Amino acid sequence: MTHSIKKLEQKLYEESLQLSEYAFQYKVPSEKRDKRLQKLKVQDVYGIFSEGSLAAKLHLLSLEVWIGNEKYSMGGIAGVATYPEYRRKGLVRSLLSHALEEMNNKGQTISMLHPFDIDFYRKFGWEVFAYFNKLYLTKKDLIPIKKTNGSIKRFTKETYPVELHQLYDRYASNHSGMLERTKEWWKERSIGDLWIAIYYDENHVPQGYLSYEVKNEKMKVEEFVPLNAEARHGLWNFICQHDSMINDSELVLNPNEPLSFLLRNPRVKMERFPYFMNRIVNVESFLNAYLKHIEFDDHLTLTIKDDQAEWNNGTFTVSAHGVKKSEPADNTVVMDINTLTAVIFGVYSPKALMDMGQIEGDLPEVAKLEKLTKDVSPFFYDFF
């Protein structure tokens, strides 16, 4: 069933906010309501109406993400909500299909979202690409690991330091999928009411940062970003200096962050959480842009299955000259759009995905996929 979808005008933003409040069970105070509504001006909000009232909606944000040293246009899906009386009628399916068409028309070759249900969004081509670890510590775990010659300086969002943006960009360029943050994004979303601590080496060169809060004798570290071993030690030792103020601490960490291994007693509680999902919106456009920044000197034939974006269905030839649709071939490597996204963003190796049954093809051809990957790991610290 198809549904009539329209982009919401400003006069309908309040109705959109009311749906969010109902679906996500929160209330925006009256003194903050205008500010929240103003933020919708930089988003595209699409809605489906029933008898003149908003039944379901979806927000589309225009953002950028890093893959190694390069940035790519990304469409962020957020605020997907439906009133309960309209659920299971295909409204969200229609909104997601519409959003894919809009992103494709805008040249946004990547899309990301935070799922309420991973399996639900997998059906639409999005795949988990970013995980995070949460480290749980008590006062007795706060033991410094190595003295450093650098120093720590604390900041709030009112004293936003330019070094913070530089540190984040250097870290992001060593990963796939991290968000390109504007100064406004930093202040409104990434810092908020948090403290920022930057580690400077003995030459006063910034080498890492963490964002955190201390409340009710508990320290929560939202971002732990060291660029080298010295910064890792310095930031950890700064956390330990809070031992007289706190009884517990929680750290949100990149799964590849080795801090827990370095603890005096590594036998601590740590949990791993699947976090953000992404998908390639347009295979041909994305790969043509992506190939400009890697060395691919081979010839590969890919057959992609994408039930939601018909322009991605088919066989593509990939070579140093670019990507284009072609006729099916005997030596093609077959996968769905979810798996191709996982390959490009480094979630698993092509060989591992083949062993899982996610990729079909001859091993020598599958091995060529390795040349399409960068030596960076997937990660995402943001939320929208």
Side-chain angles (χ1 to χ4, degrees):
M1 179 184 295
T2 59
H3 302 92
S4 178
I5 297 172
K6 70 177 183 178
K7 184 177 174 180
L8 269 60
E9 299 175 0
Q10 188 173 347
K11 64 183 180 181
L12 294 172
Y13 286 174
E14 173 63 32
E15 197 169 344
S16 171
L17 181 55
Q18 289 174 9
L19 173 49
S20 289
E21 290 177 317
Y22 188 95
F24 304 122
Q25 302 173 51
Y26 67 89
K27 186 70 177 177
V28 178
S30 57
E31 65 273 16
K32 295 182 178 180
R33 209 163 187 87
D34 284 344
K35 186 175 182 180
R36 177 67 69 91
L37 293 173
Q38 287 297 317
K39 290 181 179 180
L40 297 182
K41 290 183 178 180
V42 296
Q43 304 176 16
D44 292 333
V45 185
Y46 297 100
I48 296 176
F49 290 77
S50 176
E51 298 180 354
S53 297
L54 186 63
K57 51 103 179 182
L58 174 152
H59 299 223
L60 183 57
L61 290 67
S62 295
L63 303 166
E64 289 185 303
V65 293
W66 295 80
I67 304 179
N69 290 314
E70 306 300 328
K71 288 179 280 189
Y72 294 80
S73 180
M74 184 269 284
I77 303 291
V80 182
T82 311
Y83 280 114
E85 60 267 33
Y86 299 111
R87 288 178 186 157
R88 297 177 178 85
K89 298 181 184 295
L91 273 62
V92 171
R93 175 182 293 274
S94 295
L95 286 168
L96 289 172
S97 295
H98 183 79
L100 282 169
E101 292 176 359
E102 290 291 328
M103 288 185 281
N104 192 40
N105 292 336
K106 292 179 179 181
Q108 295 171 329
T109 57
I110 299 167
S111 177
M112 293 173 131
L113 57 81
H114 181 257
F116 75 91
D117 183 289
I118 290 173
D119 184 57
F120 176 84
Y121 283 106
R122 274 181 167 162
K123 298 171 185 176
F124 297 96
W126 278 266
E127 186 53 83
V128 178
F129 89 99
Y131 293 76
F132 68 84
N133 286 351
K134 185 170 282 190
L135 188 64
Y136 300 88
L137 304 172
T138 61
K139 186 192 294 283
K140 66 180 178 61
D141 299 312
L142 302 182
I143 304 172
I145 50 180
K146 191 174 184 179
K147 182 176 174 56
T148 66
N149 295 322
S151 60
I152 290 280
K153 187 173 181 180
R154 287 180 293 108
F155 300 87
T156 65
K157 70 176 179 180
E158 284 73 24
T159 54
Y160 170 86
V162 66
E163 301 101 303
L164 185 59
H165 207 140
Q166 296 168 349
L167 287 166
Y168 173 85
D169 284 357
R170 288 172 63 189
Y171 189 77
S173 65
N174 287 314
H175 294 82
S176 62
M178 291 190 71
L179 191 70
E180 163 67 3
R181 294 176 176 173
T182 63
K183 185 175 180 179
E184 291 70 30
W185 189 279
W186 268 108
K187 287 191 170 187
E188 293 297 324
R189 294 176 180 257
S190 301
I191 302 177
D193 296 325
L194 300 174
W195 285 96
I196 297 291
I198 294 181
Y199 177 82
Y200 298 85
D201 64 22
E202 59 184 335
N203 298 314
H204 202 67
V205 177
Q207 300 291 358
Y209 77 87
L210 55 84
S211 61
Y212 68 97
E213 69 172 11
V214 179
K215 190 182 296 182
N216 300 322
E217 299 184 324
K218 185 171 188 174
M219 185 177 192
K220 290 186 176 181
V221 176
E222 298 295 336
E223 296 186 12
F224 184 86
V225 179
L227 297 184
N228 54 35
E230 180 186 341
R232 179 173 292 108
H233 298 152
L235 292 170
W236 167 250
N237 292 345
F238 173 72
I239 293 172
C240 294
Q241 292 293 85
H242 291 78
D243 59 347
S244 64
M245 300 168 57
I246 62 174
N247 293 318
D248 304 281
S249 60
E250 293 180 7
L251 283 71
V252 177
L253 300 176
N254 185 326
N256 293 317
E257 169 54 50
L259 177 65
S260 60
F261 175 78
L262 299 173
L263 299 182
R264 190 71 62 88
N265 177 19
R267 188 174 287 171
V268 293
K269 181 181 177 182
M270 185 162 62
E271 295 179 324
R272 177 180 169 93
F273 296 90
Y275 186 40
F276 250 68
M277 302 180 79
N278 69 355
R279 65 122 69 216
I280 293 172
V281 174
N282 187 301
V283 171
E284 188 170 358
S285 297
F286 172 78
L287 287 180
N288 272 316
Y290 180 79
L291 283 168
K292 294 176 182 177
H293 308 294
I294 64 171
E295 294 183 8
F296 186 81
D297 57 0
D298 222 316
H299 186 279
L300 175 65
T301 304
L302 297 176
T303 297
I304 305 300
K305 301 175 182 178
D306 190 339
D307 293 336
Q308 305 303 320
E310 52 82 21
W311 55 85
N312 288 333
N313 273 315
T315 299
F316 301 83
T317 57
V318 183
S319 70
H321 302 293
V323 182
K324 61 181 181 180
K325 275 203 168 184
S326 63
E327 295 300 318
D330 292 336
N331 62 342
T332 189
V333 176
V334 182
M335 69 190 82
D336 59 20
I337 192 66
N338 310 60
T339 304
L340 178 64
T341 303
V343 168
I344 295 297
F345 280 81
V347 182
Y348 284 101
S349 71
K351 175 63 166 56
L353 288 162
M354 186 180 187
D355 289 343
M356 295 179 209
Q358 300 299 103
I359 295 177
E360 299 175 14
D362 295 333
L363 187 56
E365 294 299 310
V366 174
K368 293 179 183 178
L369 281 170
E370 292 285 356
K371 296 182 180 181
L372 283 181
T373 62
K374 293 187 176 184
D375 188 22
V376 290
S377 57
F379 188 55
F380 197 75
Y381 248 144
D382 282 279
F383 180 82
F384 52 78

